[in-house]
Amino acid sequence: MNVISGTFRRTTSLPVSLFTVLRTSSVGCARFYCDKPAAVPSPAKSSNEQEVRVRFAPSPTGYMHLGGLRTALYNYLYAKAHGGKFVLRIEDTDRERFVEGAAEKLYADLKWAGVEPDEDPYKGGPHGPYTQSQRYDIYKKEVKKLMEDGRAYYCFCTERRLELLRKEALRLRQVPKYDNKCRHLTPGQIAERLAKNDKFCIRFRLHSKGDEFNDMIFGKIVYFIAQQEGDPVIIKADGFPTYHFANVVDDHYMRITHVLRGVEWQISTPKHIQLFHAFGWRPPQYAHLPLIMNPNGSKLSKRQGDVQLEHYRNNGTFPQALLNYITQSGGGFGRELLEIEAPQITDLVRQFDLKKINVNSSRLNPELLKHFNRAEIRHKLENDPEAAERIVQEVTEMVRKEFSKDVKNLQLSAEHVRDVLSWSLPRIDSLQDLVKNKLSFLWVLPKPTKEKIVDSAVLAKNLATEADVPEFNKSELSRFIKAFAERNHLAFEKLMKALRSGLSGLQEGPSVPEMMEILGRAKTVERIELAAGRQK
């Protein structure tokens, strides 16, 4: 059994707005002020409870990073493994941190990654709207029910009072929390404060008994939330619901059956379950995913450029490679998956198992990303003709853009691009590596150089003859060049330097025999002759 300690969540008193409809509620009801929690009705059953429905509910306060993608992916895999639906909901009630365009970018990132929702704000669905800022009428209706049932109340405490409470608790080395003062206001006091248009928020009345629920990953959890927190704000006075309130209402209305989210939300789950019970609704089942950590053990952050999806897109990471990468952090799959060199989304769906998720956080290993990206390039080139053709076209455009100044000297036939890709598979981490300077010789004819290749005519003739060089590969070429230098009394190092210069115009890069292998017999001979000033 896990017993979780509590944390302090600070609240503020904000201006009166949307929920003025509550002024006409029955504030005089005795149930408002009773310390005894309201009875929990029997949970209501969904008419569609057989269908698994999960959701990914990001806030548009920043762009997608690996932690968010992992949460979305695991929800998607769970839904598909059980024949269910994967829902995207945009939780945009935090207007102070709202980032313009973030919601659209989150959606685009999911589609790029191949984790596409079945229902979302853009294609719609039977349980929309799927953006919280379009659901205010629902929140108004539901919070009114809690007010009338005595499970929620007005709070007029000022920011200054809350700050004094916090400082006093810290001075006494106690857990800072709201003292629930406004629970005990009389109907007359409430009416007086409302008449004066005093600022207020709305709080949910927590019950004091211990909360217990079964986490599908961590097992049984017991948490005494009322000992660690005061009554939480569910409606801010700017009219916006808090995350906790809107989250519960939306999960009910969207018929969410399972919630897979980060372990940082585990401490809030008892609060959410209390809200479900206060409404008489059946809570979903909860599974909390362990944290993904940076390689150095620090937490991922939206502010980190190197964990945002945009970083990987711009650096040539294939979507499936990125998915495979994050599945290695936290588990959820059997050993069978390790036997597949380049797992596809269907493999992930088939082998995903909540019971195999680790409870401990795990660190990212960047070397695995390189491995999976190489494997994905190979998979597409060898198993998917359409994807292979797209890769050839993509590399062609990359080369044209990178070496635009040398456009007249570019070697860019489709056959050459395919040969380069085949040669490069064990040597590159992404397609972008192919246009780095050290590999420019693959595409651009070298400029004239002062280095002269001694006996270039004989060398070119020998290389062009299969009798002299039967197999045009690295090992055979290495043997041939050494024998040629000895037979013609040439300094081997000087010959290699001249060949490197003539073949690539570079001072470093792959070995000379390796350059020859990838260029092929015809292009190697052509460049040696060009270097000697003898155009074919």
Side-chain angles (χ1 to χ4, degrees):
M1 179 182 296
N2 298 310
V3 180
I4 299 180
S5 60
T7 57
F8 175 66
R9 298 189 181 279
R10 185 166 164 235
T11 59
T12 57
S13 184
L14 299 170
V16 178
S17 63
L18 263 174
F19 290 90
T20 51
V21 64
L22 298 175
R23 295 178 185 280
T24 60
S25 299
S26 179
V27 296
C29 176
R31 286 177 294 175
F32 254 59
Y33 313 106
C34 177
D35 287 329
K36 182 179 178 181
V40 178
S42 299
K45 291 186 178 181
S46 167
S47 60
N48 198 24
E49 65 179 350
Q50 296 304 312
E51 180 185 53
V52 167
R53 291 179 58 82
V54 300
R55 46 76 169 174
F56 176 55
S59 299
T61 56
Y63 299 130
M64 180 90 77
H65 66 61
L66 291 186
L69 179 61
R70 197 274 297 266
T71 299
L73 172 63
Y74 280 28
N75 274 281
Y76 175 90
L77 296 178
Y78 191 82
K80 299 308 172 186
H82 292 84
K85 294 292 192 296
F86 171 57
V87 177
L88 171 66
R89 182 171 74 223
I90 299 298
E91 299 193 342
D92 61 342
T93 59
D94 188 348
R95 306 308 294 181
E96 293 182 2
R97 298 171 58 220
F98 177 82
V99 175
E100 192 68 40
E104 292 77 10
K105 186 65 172 58
L106 287 164
Y107 182 63
D109 282 341
L110 285 177
K111 293 190 70 174
W112 171 80
V115 185
E116 191 163 352
D118 297 299
E119 302 168 22
D120 57 57
Y122 306 97
K123 67 168 63 76
H127 304 294
Y130 295 91
T131 301
Q132 285 187 336
S133 58
Q134 299 173 17
R135 299 174 62 83
Y136 291 148
D137 288 343
I138 298 173
Y139 305 138
K140 287 167 64 174
K141 179 182 69 173
E142 297 303 334
V143 77
K144 184 176 180 181
K145 292 179 183 177
L146 292 182
M147 294 287 284
E148 291 174 344
D149 288 345
R151 291 304 304 272
Y153 60 91
Y154 294 105
C155 175
F156 299 94
C157 291
T158 64
E159 173 70 19
R160 175 171 173 74
R161 181 175 187 275
L162 295 173
E163 180 63 18
L164 289 174
L165 280 177
R166 189 187 71 84
K167 288 182 177 180
E168 181 64 10
L170 292 175
R171 187 184 70 81
L172 298 174
R173 297 184 178 181
Q174 298 174 350
V175 177
K177 64 177 183 177
Y178 179 56
D179 60 358
N180 300 341
K181 175 184 177 182
C182 290
R183 265 194 186 196
H184 311 293
L185 293 175
T186 66
Q189 289 172 319
I190 294 173
E192 182 181 351
R193 300 295 293 268
L194 292 176
K196 294 193 299 183
N197 285 329
D198 285 353
K199 296 177 182 180
F200 69 85
C201 62
I202 297 175
R203 293 182 182 269
F204 176 67
R205 186 191 300 267
L206 295 172
H207 62 62
S208 58
K209 67 181 182 180
D211 293 282
E212 180 180 304
F213 71 97
N214 183 61
D215 190 308
M216 297 173 70
I217 294 173
F218 286 81
K220 184 178 289 186
I221 302 292
V222 176
Y223 183 57
F224 293 82
I225 190 171
Q227 294 181 13
Q228 303 296 329
E229 300 184 37
D231 292 338
V233 173
I234 55 173
I235 300 294
K236 298 174 287 186
D238 62 357
F240 290 94
T242 60
Y243 163 82
H244 305 290
F245 181 74
N247 181 278
V248 166
V249 172
D250 291 342
D251 280 352
H252 170 73
Y253 273 83
M254 294 179 185
R255 299 184 179 180
I256 301 303
T257 60
H258 297 78
V259 172
L260 280 65
R261 58 187 178 186
V263 71
E264 65 271 21
W265 293 111
Q266 191 181 60
I267 201 169
S268 299
T269 300
K271 190 184 308 179
H272 298 166
I273 291 175
Q274 282 200 34
L275 277 163
F276 272 104
H277 288 165
F279 281 117
W281 299 335
R282 169 178 288 181
Q285 297 183 59
Y286 290 92
H288 293 92
L289 306 171
L291 293 176
I292 297 179
M293 313 294 282
N294 287 307
N296 63 3
S298 62
K299 290 184 178 181
L300 300 185
S301 168
K302 288 183 179 180
R303 300 177 184 86
Q304 284 179 245
D306 62 347
V307 298
Q308 293 182 3
L309 261 63
E310 191 68 21
H311 167 81
Y312 298 101
R313 293 180 70 170
N314 293 339
N315 284 277
T317 300
F318 282 89
Q320 186 62 50
L322 193 60
L323 298 185
N324 293 336
Y325 175 47
I326 60 176
T327 61
Q328 300 302 303
S329 296
F333 305 88
R335 298 187 62 83
E336 297 85 356
L337 195 66
L338 300 176
E339 299 174 1
I340 304 174
E341 182 184 19
Q344 300 301 294
I345 194 71
T346 51
D347 299 312
L348 299 182
V349 170
R350 185 174 65 253
Q351 300 204 30
F352 182 64
D353 187 351
L354 272 181
K355 296 177 182 177
K356 294 180 179 177
I357 293 179
N358 304 326
V359 296
N360 298 318
S361 58
S362 57
R363 300 186 185 191
L364 293 168
N365 179 357
E367 291 303 314
L368 281 176
L369 179 59
K370 296 177 183 179
H371 162 75
F372 281 122
N373 211 46
R374 285 193 296 268
E376 187 62 18
I377 295 173
R378 182 185 298 278
H379 174 81
K380 290 182 179 300
L381 290 175
E382 296 180 352
N383 300 286
D384 189 337
E386 290 185 5
E389 186 59 33
R390 288 195 297 270
I391 289 175
V392 170
Q393 293 174 3
E394 182 180 349
V395 170
T396 301
E397 291 305 313
M398 286 167 49
V399 172
R400 286 201 177 107
K401 181 178 179 181
E402 185 67 24
F403 302 109
S404 57
K405 294 181 180 179
D406 299 292
V407 65
K408 292 182 179 180
N409 293 319
L410 290 183
Q411 295 189 319
L412 268 180
S413 68
E415 181 182 3
H416 178 60
V417 175
R418 291 189 186 96
D419 288 343
V420 169
L421 285 166
S422 178
W423 166 84
S424 67
L425 282 176
R427 298 170 174 87
I428 62 172
D429 298 326
S430 72
L431 296 179
Q432 272 77 355
D433 289 345
L434 292 173
V435 294
K436 290 181 178 178
N437 185 61
K438 68 178 182 180
L439 295 182
S440 61
F441 76 93
L442 295 170
W443 317 108
V444 182
L445 286 171
K447 296 178 181 178
T449 175
K450 295 179 180 179
E451 299 286 347
K452 298 297 182 182
I453 303 175
V454 181
D455 293 335
S456 58
V458 176
L459 177 61
K461 182 179 179 181
N462 289 161
L463 287 169
T465 306
E466 291 189 13
D468 292 319
V469 188
E471 299 293 334
F472 212 80
N473 57 47
K474 183 171 63 174
S475 59
E476 184 67 21
L477 287 164
S478 180
R479 180 202 60 76
F480 167 79
I481 294 171
K482 288 179 182 178
F484 182 86
E486 292 175 2
R487 187 166 60 247
N488 293 279
H489 307 290
L490 302 174
F492 178 74
E493 291 184 1
K494 187 174 181 179
L495 175 61
M496 294 295 277
K497 183 178 180 181
L499 281 171
R500 176 179 292 281
S501 180
L503 292 170
S504 71
L506 304 173
Q507 294 183 352
E508 58 182 21
S511 69
V512 170
E514 199 169 5
M515 283 186 184
M516 290 180 167
E517 179 182 334
I518 181 55
L519 287 171
R521 192 185 299 270
K523 287 186 174 63
T524 297
V525 170
E526 178 186 14
R527 291 193 182 192
I528 290 174
E529 291 179 340
L530 285 173
R534 297 175 61 216
Q535 181 74 44
K536 287 185 67 177

